[in-house]
Amino acid sequence: MEIAGVIERGAGQGAYFTSLDWVVDQLEQAVGFKPFPGTLNVRIADEDFPKLGAFFENWDCELVPDNPEFCSAGLKKVRINGIPAALIMPSEDVRIHGKEIVEIVSDRHIKDALGLVDGDQVTITDSHFVP
């Protein structure tokens, strides 16, 4: 399954979250890479928003904090414009974005790697999807 969206500027909190030891360790175990500090925020296209339920139906794993001050998050292996990545969805009670915005992590700065800027369109593909 594929969903399209547009890159948006984030709140600046992703770098802190993706640098936490427990997050780095669990991401490395789950997806095989250490995350670049930060997340890429993508606003899902209106026409693809109805697909989100099916897209999120099966998480690949859950990031579980070792400190109760932090929340857990679902993780789904994806590709963004072909780059291996992971979609992270924090627990709903602490999510700072609406449901139409998803956060993506990768082992690199995705915008630099793809030559993209805020406002550019991207395609997120479920890593289990075979076209």
Side-chain angles (χ1 to χ4, degrees):
M1 177 179 300
E2 293 182 338
I3 54 176
V6 174
I7 297 173
E8 281 199 358
R9 178 171 295 287
Q13 297 178 357
Y16 171 73
F17 176 75
T18 56
S19 297
L20 295 169
D21 289 341
W22 66 271
V23 173
V24 172
D25 292 345
Q26 290 182 40
L27 270 169
E28 191 169 22
Q29 288 178 353
V31 295
F33 62 74
K34 289 185 179 182
F36 177 86
T39 61
L40 179 74
N41 291 357
V42 177
R43 178 177 294 278
I44 301 305
D46 290 343
E47 61 272 13
D48 282 353
F49 190 72
K51 294 180 187 179
L52 281 181
F55 195 81
F56 296 142
E57 211 167 69
N58 297 309
W59 293 106
D60 288 309
C61 75
E62 182 179 12
L63 300 177
V64 180
D66 56 2
N67 180 335
E69 293 180 20
F70 291 99
C71 71
S72 61
L75 183 138
K76 184 165 190 70
K77 296 176 188 177
V78 297
R79 290 186 170 275
I80 182 158
N81 286 19
I83 291 179
L87 186 150
I88 296 179
M89 186 65 76
S91 298
E92 199 166 324
D93 58 331
V94 297
R95 198 172 305 151
I96 62 172
H97 302 294
K99 291 182 180 182
E100 69 282 354
I101 296 177
V102 297
E103 295 186 69
I104 309 286
V105 297
S106 182
D107 64 347
R108 62 197 91 176
H109 188 276
I110 296 170
K111 287 197 282 188
D112 287 351
L114 295 171
L116 300 171
V117 295
D118 292 345
D120 284 346
Q121 290 191 316
V122 293
T123 301
I124 302 166
T125 307
D126 183 329
S127 67
H128 304 288
F129 174 75
V130 179

